[in-house]
Amino acid sequence: MARPDGRSADQLRPVRIQRGWLSHAEGSVLVEFGRTRVLCAASVQTGVPRWRRDSGLGWVTAEYAMLPRATNTRNDRESVKGKIGGRTHEISRLVGRSLRACVDYKALGENTIILDCDVLEADGGTRTAAITGAYVALADAVAWMRERRLVRSSPLVGSVAAVSVGVIDGEPRLDLCYEEDVAAETDMNVVCTGDGRFVEVQGTAEGQPFDRAELDALVDLAAGGCAELTRIQQEALGS
């Protein structure tokens, strides 16, 4: 069956990464996966959390949030509610784990890099767009640190990108938009390193359980999508 936006099953939405989107952040990008837009900002801070002090090791963490009108109806700000939602906590931890997979803590020294990922507009795949964009913001923050000799060598030991996949009407599809995401029989988020290894695979059967063949097909589809996203990241960074 035709996809809502006319793409082939193995085709990403148009992906755009704009660097230097904020004047004050050490690294920042606006990343777009179709109509999903996420602003990612990397902030460098001297020192590490108390539990990591005097270890000689750095830390990378992330926070994720959605603007009130990122979706078709307004959602109250979690700061106004006075409580961070479970989904927000989950995605924040996912983004942080994903980025830490490409960082050498020792080379970072006792410095912390915080990635803030704010969804401006949501049309599916916000967490995967956040990870993909946050890596580029992280790379720019590391370059900023090297220019100022805050680190002796680059703490980046690779790259990470992420994409969603799912089964809709029996067909495995890459990079689901919202309309597909809500209709998916199986949906999955996959995080890969630039050399094709897996950082995290989150998969759920929303209806009928999936078998090993379907799992393999989805993982292969996601790996191909992440490889293309890695190329786009490298192009954005000029490397």
Side-chain angles (χ1 to χ4, degrees), residues 169-197:
D169 295 323
E171 179 183 54
R173 297 182 185 177
L174 178 68
D175 190 19
L176 307 184
C177 65
Y178 178 75
E179 188 176 339
E180 293 174 312
D181 188 32
V182 296
E185 298 136 38
T186 299
D187 67 80
M188 192 174 292
N189 298 297
V190 179
V191 185
C192 288
T193 61
D195 58 5
R197 292 174 294 158

Side-chain angles (χ1 to χ4, degrees), residues 75-76 78 95 106 136-137 150-151 157 190 197 213-214 226 239:
N75 295 304
D76 291 337
E78 291 181 327
V95 177
K106 188 173 182 179
V136 178
L150 297 176
V151 291
V157 295
V190 179
R197 292 174 294 158
E214 290 172 311
C226 284
S239 58

Side-chain angles (χ1 to χ4, degrees), residues 48-145:
V48 291
R50 183 170 54 186
W51 53 269
R52 208 167 180 87
R53 287 176 191 166
D54 302 320
S55 66
L57 304 176
W59 187 242
V60 173
T61 189
E63 294 184 14
Y64 167 99
M66 294 181 68
L67 295 188
R69 276 315 300 262
T71 57
N72 58 0
T73 57
R74 185 185 186 279
N75 295 304
D76 291 337
R77 296 180 192 273
E78 291 181 327
S79 59
V80 173
K81 292 180 181 179
K83 181 180 180 181
I84 303 299
R87 178 180 181 273
T88 299
H89 273 305
E90 176 209 345
I91 297 176
S92 295
R93 289 194 294 265
L94 171 64
V95 177
R97 285 195 304 271
S98 300
L99 295 173
R100 289 193 291 272
C102 67
V103 174
D104 178 344
Y105 297 140
K106 188 173 182 179
L108 182 58
E110 291 201 17
N111 297 293
T112 297
I113 302 178
I114 303 169
L115 282 303
D116 288 294
C117 301
D118 291 288
V119 179
L120 308 184
E121 189 166 2
D123 185 33
T126 60
R127 72 186 68 194
T128 53
I131 292 166
T132 302
Y135 168 74
V136 178
L138 174 64
D140 277 342
V142 166
W144 181 90
M145 295 177 76

Side-chain angles (χ1 to χ4, degrees), residues 34-58:
R35 290 186 298 175
T36 289
R37 299 178 178 91
V38 185
L39 178 59
C40 305
S43 301
V44 176
Q45 295 183 354
T46 302
V48 291
R50 183 170 54 186
W51 53 269
R52 208 167 180 87
R53 287 176 191 166
D54 302 320
S55 66
L57 304 176

Side-chain angles (χ1 to χ4, degrees), residues 107-108 145-146 149-155:
L108 182 58
M145 295 177 76
R146 295 192 72 183
R149 299 185 180 181
L150 297 176
V151 291
R152 293 182 180 179
S153 60
S154 176

